[in-house]
Amino acid sequence: MRIQSARTSGILKSLLAVLLPITSLAATGHAEPGRAQLSGVVFDPSSRAVVGATVTLTDPATGSSQVTKTNDQGQYRLPELPAGKYELKVRRSGLAPFLETITLMDGPQRMDVTLQIPTRKESVTVPAAVQPHGLPLAANTQTTGAGDWSRDQSAAELLADTPGVSLRQSGDLASAPMLHGMGDERVKLVVDGLTVSNSCPNHMNPPLSYVASSSAAEVTVMAGITPVSMGGDSIGGTVIINSPAPVFAGEDENWHSEGVLSAFFRNNGGGYGPDLTAWVANHNFSMGYSGSWADFDDYSDGSGHKVTSTYAQTTDNVVTLAAQDAGNLVVLQAGLHHTPYEGFPNAQMDLVRNIGESLNLRYRHDFGWGVLDARGFWQGTWHSMNIGEDKSAFPMSMWMPMNTHGRDSGYTAKLEVPVNNRHTLRLGSEVHHFLLDDHWPAVPGTEPYMAPDPFLSIYHGQRTRLAWFGEVVSQWNSKWTTLLGIRNDTVWMNTGQVSGYSDMYAADAEAFNAVSHARTDINLDATALARYELNRSTAFEIGYARKTRSPNLYERYAWSTNWMASGMIGWFGDGNYYVGNLDLKPEVAHTVSASAAWHDAAKKRWALKVTPYQTYVQDYIDADLLATTAYGDSTFAQLRFANHNARIYGVDGAGNVTLWDSAKSGHAEITGVMGYLHGDRLDTGTGLYHMMPLNARTGFEEKLKRWSAGLSFQAVDRKSNVDSLRFEPQTPGYGLLGTHASYDWGHMRLDAGGENLLNRYYELPLGGVNFDDYMAGGWMGQIRPLTGRGRSLYIGLTLRY
Ligand SMILES: [Cu+2]
């Protein structure tokens, strides 16, 4: 809410008000502005009334919401509210959600909404015109109805078109988003409030591998500057994925049910599978189920070469029980995830089983003076790896089972208090406890290399993190907004005594067991962000963040310098060998970022956003060379994790312009996203690993009544700034053309399209090396970069009720 009358005299006074928010709470309390009432009708693109659409009005200052449903005539009416600025969100499964910031005046007000046909995710993300809850300008939020994305993509691919994001390819379900050149655990990945640890020395089961893209309803990406309330134990940024909020019956119905069933087929690699989401609810109780199954075979690249170990199969089941009454919401989610197999073309190993069982209990209570949002969670992960048949030139002789068991548990609690009309205070606490056992059974007959004893890679590894934070969002006047936050994460790590397959591992094990493994890191993060809205069409923002990540269990505790054992450690897709370092310090990033956003006054016809940034990372966790080895014509490095200062700078750009918009000829627009970044290690001046070269995407999209169609083009520059320490390959530039079309009948939608239409051969700049081809060739020849998918056509069908 913007209150212009209470303008302060000076910045000093303003700062004092931030530092003493509790005093202001006592002194001023809530103001009593006028009362407003909003009502209207929700239409579909054919101008028919939409029954049962969920209408949510949120106060961006407090996050508190009013929710209602449209009746049989598509009408909605919200209760009386104080006048001011709100976010209006309207959603109905099967249609694209509507999101807009509105200003309510005193008295009754009418707002009719037309929900559009959802756009498939191939098109480029439009810069968000709305930034709820004090998110940075550079943050991007995408929303959709459940089931609008079928699982022909991994959840990570939902982020691929977002400014500041590039994808590091791995197994079919394990791709990792890189935000401003930082990926993996440098990015905080939060799915339904839960951060799951990697329970694998190769990170084959990252957090996003547990979420079906079809069950992601809202995806928020914050590259670089992140409010401390959404950060912690990460330095690159935060990705938040939420499944759909529970559905409850509307005002004019006693009970409510809805569902979406979809299926897809993709020809290159023969991917196919169904998704189902269903809800049954009355006014107070709701039960939902969402399930998906998908199978993928190996794809072929643009030269017709089959890229082996790009197969996968996966099943996801989530049951949701929810209850609500005035001011209270309780949600219990139980998940069962099963991946029976998944190939990893850029690793020495493949996944042969991964089971994840999770429980997630959420309680939200509105006290009137503030809102508490708390969650408790648990996940157990059972993960097994072995060498898949595709890889081995010597069938069965290379059998090497590895089993990992991880357990995550903890809570998050956030309290949001609107102190007065100007300041909102957020306080929070988190605990994340992670237990890991990484156990490699003996393989009889292979003494002394892999027998007679099992290899204890991580034995009773523990990583416990306790966090506290406080944050103030302040709306000083109609032009200035600030966000200030401070956060402490204390990380305790330890691990038990280890041992190897045989005496040949004994020296390393004894040296490791002889010293203490307990480590405590006290990490301090801070974020300061200021936004200036010059006029209705121009906004500027500048921010600074200090963020810290403590090492993971393998970075500190991978103990063996044996070539084979160290070759099993590493999540980089580079074929190198990694050894841990007990002396490793947390890495600390200092990021400065600015954003400028321009758009037409109504935020409908055009928008442009530019975000330059620079990050200096103190004690960046890189590596030192221990030794090199050569097999065939390829050289590999054995590396020990080590702290070195590093720097990444770059710029993101995003824009869109409407070409035409009328009832007769529909809506057409052009969108564009570009990214440039450069990263180097400061002591050696060498390139950092996995830096995406200059890249841009542009798209044309047209919607006309029930039709939607578009074209997209992606251009990626040659990758020449590579990490010489890891023998990272250079990759040539390329361009990819795609197209898609859909037709919607209301209860049914048909999607069809194609990717890489010109069947272009290209090497993935962040894909690492093709270890499969190299191993299948008997460890001979020159190892090559992993190549991308050739032409691929897909079709999808969605039914809803
Ligand atoms: Cu694994």
Side-chain angles (χ1 to χ4, degrees):
M1 242 188 299
R2 285 175 179 172
I3 304 298
Q4 304 217 28
S5 56
R7 189 170 291 167
T8 47
S9 55
I11 288 170
L12 190 66
K13 198 171 160 189
S14 312
L15 281 174
L16 280 174
V18 174
L19 295 171
L20 303 167
I22 305 299
T23 337
S24 2
L25 171 69
T28 58
H30 286 267
E32 259 310 319
R35 307 297 287 181
Q37 185 162 48
L38 185 70
S39 61
V41 182
V42 178
F43 298 106
D44 73 5
S46 318
S47 302
R48 291 181 310 181
V50 177
V51 180
T54 307
V55 181
T56 312
L57 197 66
T58 307
D59 182 342
T62 64
S64 67
S65 297
Q66 300 290 336
V67 187
T68 186
K69 293 248 179 185
T70 55
N71 63 17
D72 292 347
Q73 281 82 48
Q75 296 158 335
Y76 72 92
R77 177 184 297 272
L78 288 153
E80 280 204 344
L81 293 156
K85 196 168 157 185
Y86 292 88
E87 290 151 19
L88 177 68
K89 191 190 273 188
V90 182
R91 80 170 60 191
R92 177 73 174 95
S93 60
L95 292 165
F98 173 91
L99 182 64
E100 194 164 299
T101 301
I102 58 167
T103 305
L104 293 187
M105 313 293 185
D106 291 356
Q109 206 166 321
R110 191 186 159 104
M111 172 111 185
D112 293 345
V113 171
T114 301
L115 297 180
Q116 301 293 336
I117 302 297
T119 307
R120 279 198 55 86
K121 276 304 300 150
E122 282 74 23
S123 67
V124 173
T125 308
V126 178
V130 182
Q131 292 300 8
H133 308 297
L135 285 183
L137 265 186
N140 283 281
T141 302
Q142 309 164 23
T143 51
T144 181
D148 291 342
W149 292 318
S150 63
R151 191 157 196 172
D152 56 341
Q153 303 175 314
S154 76
E157 281 171 75
L158 298 176
L159 313 167
D161 301 330
T162 311
V165 180
S166 34
L167 269 198
R168 198 202 83 192
Q169 290 79 8
S170 193
D172 240 335
L173 312 165
S175 291
M178 307 276 297
L179 307 189
H180 289 175
M182 294 193 265
D184 218 284
E185 287 162 339
R186 291 194 170 105
V187 173
K188 182 157 183 159
L189 301 171
V190 185
V191 179
D192 285 328
L194 210 140
T195 299
V196 178
S197 308
N198 289 286
S199 293
C200 165
N202 301 155
H203 291 189
M204 290 177 171
N205 45 21
L208 298 190
S209 66
Y210 294 102
V211 52
S213 53
S214 54
S215 65
E218 191 175 78
V219 180
T220 299
V221 178
M222 277 164 281
I225 307 281
T226 310
V228 294
S229 60
M230 299 173 197
D233 204 25
S234 58
I235 61 172
T238 300
V239 175
I240 298 170
I241 296 189
N242 287 322
S243 57
V247 171
F248 290 97
E251 234 170 87
D252 302 324
E253 52 184 4
N254 287 324
W255 67 282
H256 178 88
S257 74
E258 64 176 64
V260 181
L261 175 68
S262 69
F264 77 93
F265 171 74
R266 184 174 74 192
N267 80 325
N268 188 345
Y272 64 103
D275 302 290
L276 170 71
T277 302
W279 291 96
V280 182
N282 64 15
H283 297 281
N284 298 109
F285 297 98
S286 176
M287 192 168 85
Y289 168 79
S290 124
S292 74
W293 179 91
D295 188 88
F296 307 96
D297 207 344
D298 295 333
Y299 68 72
S300 299
D301 66 19
S303 72
H305 176 67
K306 189 165 151 186
V307 183
T308 54
S309 292
T310 52
Y311 58 81
Q313 189 182 96
T314 189
T315 312
D316 282 290
N317 294 282
V318 180
V319 173
T320 305
L321 298 173
Q324 70 167 11
D325 64 10
N328 289 300
L329 175 68
V330 183
V331 184
L332 176 68
Q333 278 179 310
L336 175 63
H337 170 99
H338 180 215
T339 300
Y341 48 83
E342 181 181 0
F344 283 77
N346 53 9
Q348 296 196 29
M349 288 284 170
D350 298 302
L351 183 156
V352 295
R353 187 187 72 154
N354 196 84
I355 292 174
E357 291 177 0
S358 63
L359 279 177
N360 184 354
L361 179 67
R362 178 184 181 197
Y363 176 63
R364 189 177 181 280
H365 179 73
D366 191 341
F367 292 100
W369 51 268
V371 177
L372 172 74
D373 206 331
R375 289 176 195 265
F377 63 88
W378 172 86
Q379 171 155 332
T381 305
W382 293 263
H383 175 75
S384 298
M385 293 198 284
N386 214 319
I387 300 169
E389 279 175 28
D390 295 344
K391 283 191 165 74
S392 185
F394 325 100
M396 301 315 288
S397 64
M398 295 290 280
W399 202 63
M400 183 180 177
M402 299 166 71
N403 300 323
T404 316
H405 179 31
R407 284 135 286 176
D408 286 285
S409 58
Y411 72 80
T412 64
K414 279 184 201 184
L415 183 65
E416 185 149 311
V417 183
V419 176
N420 54 31
N421 287 317
R422 184 163 292 174
H423 307 295
T424 300
L425 178 69
R426 296 188 189 124
L427 298 170
S429 169
E430 293 175 16
V431 162
H432 185 179
H433 179 62
F434 179 49
L435 261 176
L436 184 76
D437 284 293
D438 187 18
H439 175 274
W440 310 347
V443 182
T446 63
E447 292 85 351
Y449 306 102
M450 292 189 284
D453 301 319
F455 185 99
L456 301 183
S457 167
I458 301 277
Y459 183 67
H460 287 348
Q462 296 173 50
R463 192 177 190 277
T464 305
R465 183 170 58 84
L466 168 66
W468 298 94
F469 62 80
E471 189 170 86
V472 182
V473 186
S474 309
Q475 176 93 51
W476 299 101
N477 51 43
S478 64
K479 295 189 182 306
W480 282 100
T481 314
T482 58
L483 181 146
L484 293 169
I486 190 157
R487 174 178 182 117
N488 163 241
D489 286 80
T490 305
V491 180
W492 293 271
M493 284 170 62
N494 206 347
T495 188
Q497 305 290 78
V498 296
S499 59
Y501 288 116
S502 69
D503 286 346
M504 66 184 276
Y505 300 87
D508 280 341
E510 279 163 23
F512 184 81
N513 291 339
V515 295
S516 164
H517 308 141
R519 294 289 181 274
T520 303
D521 305 317
I522 297 174
N523 301 332
L524 193 68
D525 287 7
T527 296
L529 200 65
R531 185 182 312 169
Y532 180 69
E533 286 176 48
L534 178 68
N535 52 44
R536 286 171 63 84
S537 59
T538 311
F540 301 102
E541 188 176 82
I542 186 152
Y544 161 80
R546 176 198 155 102
K547 290 189 283 182
T548 316
R549 178 182 77 92
S550 279
N552 68 33
L553 290 167
Y554 290 98
E555 285 167 335
R556 271 191 172 140
Y557 300 140
W559 56 271
S560 180
T561 57
N562 174 274
W563 278 97
M564 188 189 63
S566 61
M568 300 297 114
I569 309 295
W571 41 93
F572 309 97
D574 59 357
N576 292 312
Y577 299 72
Y578 287 87
V579 180
N581 180 351
L582 280 164
D583 297 326
L584 219 50
K585 291 185 287 249
E587 47 186 13
V588 182
H590 300 270
T591 303
V592 178
S593 172
S595 284
W598 298 272
H599 45 75
D600 61 300
K603 296 182 177 178
K604 285 200 187 324
R605 286 184 297 111
W606 63 275
L608 178 67
K609 188 161 70 177
V610 181
T611 304
Y613 57 90
Q614 164 136 325
T615 299
Y616 166 76
V617 189
Q618 189 186 334
D619 296 322
Y620 183 85
I621 298 178
D622 200 55
D624 288 338
L625 186 68
L626 295 180
T628 59
T629 186
Y631 302 108
D633 301 326
S634 304
T635 309
F636 299 94
Q638 189 181 51
L639 302 155
R640 187 192 297 279
F641 291 112
N643 295 113
H644 291 286
N645 297 342
R647 174 187 61 174
I648 300 173
Y649 58 85
V651 60
D652 299 331
N656 66 291
V657 56
T658 298
L659 298 178
W660 63 83
D661 188 23
S662 72
K664 199 177 160 199
S665 45
H667 177 93
E669 67 176 15
I670 290 179
T671 52
V673 169
M674 66 76 65
Y676 164 79
L677 63 86
H678 180 90
D680 47 17
R681 218 171 101 165
L682 295 175
D683 59 338
T684 54
T686 50
L688 293 181
Y689 192 52
H690 275 146
M691 292 294 127
M692 186 69 182
L694 176 67
N695 63 94
R697 284 169 188 256
T698 180
F700 168 78
E701 181 80 28
E702 194 191 359
K703 290 179 196 174
L704 177 58
K705 295 196 167 73
R706 296 166 170 277
W707 273 104
S708 165
L711 276 174
S712 65
F713 185 73
Q714 181 191 13
V716 178
D717 196 10
R718 187 169 73 91
K719 180 172 170 62
S720 52
N721 182 39
V722 292
D723 181 357
S724 50
L725 190 68
R726 289 176 167 84
F727 304 105
E728 185 180 18
Q730 299 201 358
T731 53
Y734 58 90
L736 302 177
L737 184 67
T739 186
H740 63 273
S742 71
Y743 191 80
D744 202 299
W745 285 268
H747 287 285
M748 182 165 81
R749 188 182 80 221
L750 187 66
D751 284 293
E755 289 154 19
N756 192 3
L757 284 180
L758 304 177
N759 201 27
R760 180 74 202 262
Y761 169 87
Y762 66 106
E763 295 170 351
L764 294 161
L766 307 182
V769 294
N770 190 327
F771 218 85
D772 243 59
D773 285 353
Y774 180 69
M775 280 174 86
W779 300 69
M780 308 286 279
Q782 178 62 49
I783 198 162
R784 300 288 310 152
L786 187 64
T787 49
R789 189 188 303 273
R791 182 190 299 119
S792 184
L793 307 176
Y794 67 84
I795 189 162
L797 184 67
T798 306
L799 302 169
R800 50 195 176 234
Y801 64 92

